[in-house]
Amino acid sequence: EDQVTQSPEALRLQEGESSSLNCSYTVSGLRGLFWYRQDPGKGPEFLFTLYSAGEEKEKERLKATLTKKESFLHITAPKPEDSATYLCAVQARGGSNYKLTFGKGTLLTVNP
Amino acid sequence: AAGVIQSPRHLIKEKRETATLKCYPIPRHDTVYWYQQGPGQDPQFLISFYEKMQSDKGSIPDRFSAQQFSDYHSELNMSSLELGDSALYFCASSLGWQRSTSYEQYFGPGTRLTVT
């Protein structure tokens, strides 16, 4: 069974204080690892997809990296508007199965 | 850019009633996924459709059924509602595997279902 574990559950940062969120995963064969941002009561907003170990992607203050066992979401000089829950999800390889298995998320709060 | 549309956005039903949730995917997307997110929980996969055929099934109760229509929109039908069905229901869409190698799923704003 595919499993995704995110840490920490919650993270408080001061504006400008860089940090990283962790996503550890177990999957029979990884098709893709996805990062989403979710604001309260809203749908997850797509951020990145990573497909193979060593891959990195960047978007504004966010940078996602992937190894064979985990992914990191690095946040550089965060701003209060970066406050949200960050969800990690995996998609397993094989057949017509494209469902996402999510972790429980990291609630990020950035104080001004 | 056009996004996934879900209706209604909010729905209040009583126990044992029936509810229908609708999802309109991003134009050109032929694959639709339904997820359920309980309070403080991560989204849980329910069911998916590719080219109007069911492609995968997750932890969807037998009381629920879904289908995808010729215009690719999808409907989730929920019967004999229980208090525990209260949750956010998200629809996501993507290009199917025959037309894309990116597999990215884009989520709608969700339908908040409250069962009283």
Side-chain angles (χ1 to χ4, degrees):
Chain A
E1 185 180 331
D2 304 334
Q3 284 194 316
V4 179
T5 303
Q6 291 187 247
S7 62
E9 290 184 10
L11 181 62
R12 283 186 176 273
L13 300 174
Q14 289 298 123
E15 185 172 1
E17 180 186 2
S18 302
S19 188
S20 295
L21 312 183
N22 177 262
C23 170
S24 298
Y25 64 91
T26 303
V27 64
S28 52
L30 183 69
R31 177 179 276 137
L33 185 141
F34 300 77
W35 282 98
Y36 287 86
R37 168 192 171 129
Q38 186 174 29
D39 293 301
K42 297 193 175 181
E45 176 189 344
F46 172 77
L47 294 174
F48 303 109
T49 311
L50 301 167
Y51 297 102
S52 56
E55 190 174 1
E56 298 184 352
K57 287 191 177 174
E58 287 189 67
K59 179 181 179 180
E60 297 180 354
R61 296 177 291 282
L62 301 176
K63 179 180 177 180
T65 62
L66 180 66
T67 72
K68 289 187 177 180
K69 294 183 179 180
E70 57 191 353
S71 176
F72 292 93
L73 185 64
H74 308 276
I75 303 177
T76 301
K79 298 181 178 182
E81 53 262 42
D82 294 323
S83 297
T85 295
Y86 290 85
L87 294 167
C88 172
V90 296
Q91 191 177 65
R93 198 189 310 274
S96 61
N97 176 357
Y98 291 83
K99 70 179 182 184
L100 296 178
T101 300
F102 284 88
K104 297 200 177 300
T106 292
L107 175 60
L108 175 66
T109 303
V110 182
N111 296 313
Chain B
V4 176
I5 297 171
Q6 291 188 246
S7 67
R9 294 294 309 280
H10 302 272
L11 192 57
I12 300 175
K13 292 285 185 178
E14 295 187 355
K15 283 193 306 184
R16 293 180 289 278
E17 284 192 321
T18 297
T20 297
L21 279 54
K22 296 186 178 182
C23 168
Y24 297 86
I26 291 171
R28 293 182 58 238
H29 283 191
D30 50 15
T31 305
V32 168
Y33 312 79
W34 286 97
Y35 293 85
Q36 177 191 59
Q37 187 174 31
Q41 301 297 312
D42 53 293
Q44 295 290 318
F45 171 73
L46 293 177
I47 195 166
S48 62
F49 293 87
Y50 167 62
E51 283 289 345
K52 293 153 280 184
M53 298 288 289
Q54 181 182 308
S55 54
D56 196 11
K57 194 171 181 179
S59 49
I60 183 169
D62 291 341
R63 300 177 288 107
F64 295 5
S65 65
Q67 57 182 325
Q68 186 180 31
F69 295 87
S70 57
D71 63 351
Y72 296 110
H73 94 272
S74 178
E75 295 184 2
L76 178 65
N77 299 294
M78 310 160 71
S79 63
S80 303
L81 287 169
E82 303 174 356
L83 295 177
D85 296 329
S86 295
L88 269 169
Y89 289 83
F90 292 109
C91 170
S93 74
S94 72
L95 285 170
W97 63 275
Q98 285 188 322
R99 297 169 56 204
S100 172
T101 57
S102 66
Y103 316 119
E104 294 161 4
Q105 295 181 23
Y106 295 88
F107 283 74
T111 294
R112 181 175 294 280
L113 173 66
T114 302
V115 181
T116 62

